[in-house]
Amino acid sequence: MIKYIYILFILFFIGCSNSKLDYESSDLRYEEAMELFSQEKYLKAKEQFKYMIFNNPGSKNALDSQFYLAECFYLLEEYNQASKEYEKYISMSQDSELVKKSKFLAAKCYYELSLSYYKDQTDTKYAISKIQNFIEQYSSDKQNIILHDKEIDLLESSDDMIDELRFRLAKKDLESGRLYIRLRKYNAALTYFNSILLEYYDTEYNDDAIYYSVLTYLKMKDLDSANKFLLSNKNNFYNKSNYDKVQKIIDNYSLDKKLMNRYLEF
C-alpha cells in the first residue's frame, strides 16, 4: 500500500514538473515569436504563432498569437488570409481595443482586395459594406489609435477608403457607358450614366455622366432630349463651369456637323 502511494506521489510530481515545463516552453516560444515579429521576420513569426495556436488552445498566448498571426499575413500583403485570421480573433477575443483594430484591418483587407475599376466590382461593393459596418459600430468613437507605428483616425481613414471605392465604381460605370456608345447600344449607355448621377453624384464623374448623356442623345439624333436633359441637370454639375461647355456642344450641333463628329467619336 505504501509503495502504491509512493508511486502515485512520484507520478503527480512528475506531472506537475512537466506541466510547469510546458508553460515555460509556451512562454518561451511566444517570446521568440514576438521577437521575430518585432524584427519584421513575418514569415518565420507566423509559423511560430501557428504552433502556439495549435498546441496551446485556450491559453492567453494562443489567443494573442491569433491576433499576431493575422498581423503577419496583413504585413506580408496576404490580405485574403489576413482577413480570415482577424475574423477568427474577433470571434474569440474580449479585448475591445484589439477587436476594434481587427475589425478595421479586416475591412481594410477587403479594400485592398478590391479589383481595378475595369474588372468585376463585386469585391468592391462587399468592401464598402464591410467598411460601412465598421463606421456604424464605432461612429461615436473619435479616439485616434496607434496602428502599425502610425497614429490614425479610424473613422476618417474608413471614410477615405469608401470615397476611393465609390470613385472606382463610378469610373467603372462611366467606362461601361462609353463602351456601349461605341457599340451603339445607347439606352444601355444612358443607364450607366444615370447610375452615376444617382449614386456617385458627389464625385468628379458626375459631370462626365452629364456630358456623355448629352452626347448619347446627340448620337441618337435626339436634340430635344439632349436639351431637356441638360436643362434638368443645370444645377447638378460638380464643376459649374462645365455646364457652359456642354451647352456649347448642343448649340453647335446644328451648325457644324464636322465639328460634332469630333465630339461624338470615341
Side-chain angles (χ1 to χ4, degrees):
M1 183 66 178
I2 295 175
K3 183 177 180 181
Y4 177 72
I5 295 174
Y6 177 75
I7 292 173
L8 288 177
F9 176 79
I10 294 296
L11 291 174
F12 176 78
F13 179 78
I14 293 173
C16 290
S17 299
N18 287 339
S19 178
K20 183 178 180 180
L21 288 173
D22 287 342
Y23 280 120
E24 290 177 351
S25 176
S26 173
D27 289 340
L28 180 61
R29 193 140 199 165
Y30 179 75
E31 290 174 6
E32 290 174 351
M34 289 301 297
E35 180 64 23
L36 290 169
F37 183 84
S38 67
Q39 294 174 1
E40 301 182 5
K41 297 178 180 179
Y42 304 124
L43 283 172
K44 292 182 178 180
K46 75 176 184 178
E47 296 306 317
Q48 295 282 24
F49 289 131
K50 284 180 181 179
Y51 180 90
M52 293 296 305
I53 294 167
F54 290 117
N55 289 279
N56 299 273
S59 69
K60 184 179 184 306
N61 283 345
L63 183 59
D64 291 343
S65 293
Q66 180 62 54
F67 174 77
Y68 285 105
L69 176 61
E71 289 280 85
C72 286
F73 280 113
Y74 180 87
L75 293 167
L76 288 168
E77 299 184 1
E78 297 180 37
Y79 299 117
N80 186 50
Q81 190 62 37
S83 66
K84 295 176 183 178
E85 300 302 337
Y86 283 125
E87 296 288 359
K88 288 179 185 177
Y89 179 78
I90 291 165
S91 69
M92 297 186 294
S93 178
Q94 299 297 317
D95 187 322
S96 59
E97 191 69 10
L98 284 184
V99 166
K100 178 170 66 174
K101 287 183 180 182
S102 295
K103 288 183 176 180
F104 172 79
L105 288 168
K108 192 170 183 181
C109 285
Y110 294 114
Y111 164 81
E112 297 289 355
L113 287 167
S114 61
L115 300 172
S116 301
Y117 77 88
Y118 53 84
K119 297 184 179 179
D120 179 76
Q121 293 300 299
T122 302
D123 287 343
T124 301
K125 293 176 181 178
Y126 185 69
I128 289 175
S129 70
K130 294 293 289 187
I131 298 168
Q132 285 177 332
N133 287 340
F134 176 83
I135 292 174
E136 290 169 5
Q137 185 171 0
Y138 294 100
S139 59
S140 61
D141 188 349
K142 302 295 183 182
Q143 183 180 4
N144 290 7
I145 68 168
I146 302 298
L147 194 63
H148 301 148
D149 299 326
K150 293 181 181 179
E151 183 177 355
I152 67 170
D153 184 324
L154 295 184
L155 294 180
E156 182 179 318
S157 181
S158 296
D159 285 335
D160 289 343
M161 285 192 288
I162 287 181
D163 287 345
E164 170 60 26
L165 294 174
R166 292 182 70 251
F167 181 88
R168 192 176 301 171
L169 289 172
K171 187 172 184 180
K172 171 69 173 180
D173 280 353
L174 182 73
E175 294 304 320
S176 295
R178 282 166 50 87
L179 173 62
Y180 279 114
I181 292 176
R182 290 195 291 271
L183 296 173
R184 299 183 181 182
K185 296 183 178 181
Y186 301 125
N187 289 328
L190 290 171
T191 298
Y192 277 104
F193 299 141
N194 189 55
S195 173
I196 296 173
L197 297 175
L198 290 174
E199 297 185 46
Y200 312 115
Y201 54 85
D202 55 345
T203 72
E204 64 182 68
Y205 291 111
N206 176 80
D207 292 9
D208 290 324
I210 299 174
Y211 169 78
Y212 282 110
S213 292
V214 168
L215 291 190
T216 302
Y217 284 120
L218 296 179
K219 291 279 281 186
M220 297 168 71
K221 302 185 182 345
D222 190 349
L223 180 59
D224 185 54
S225 291
N227 271 308
K228 288 180 179 178
F229 180 84
L230 181 59
L231 181 61
S232 67
N233 284 280
K234 182 175 182 178
N235 297 319
N236 296 333
F237 278 88
Y238 192 76
N239 184 339
K240 300 303 180 183
S241 66
N242 286 333
Y243 169 78
D244 294 331
K245 296 177 183 178
V246 180
Q247 182 64 64
K248 186 176 181 180
I249 292 173
I250 292 178
D251 293 341
N252 290 332
Y253 178 73
S254 300
L255 300 176
D256 191 336
K257 294 292 185 182
K258 291 183 178 179
L259 177 64
M260 283 311 303
N261 285 336
R262 272 187 278 162
Y263 281 119
L264 299 178
E265 287 177 359
F266 291 89

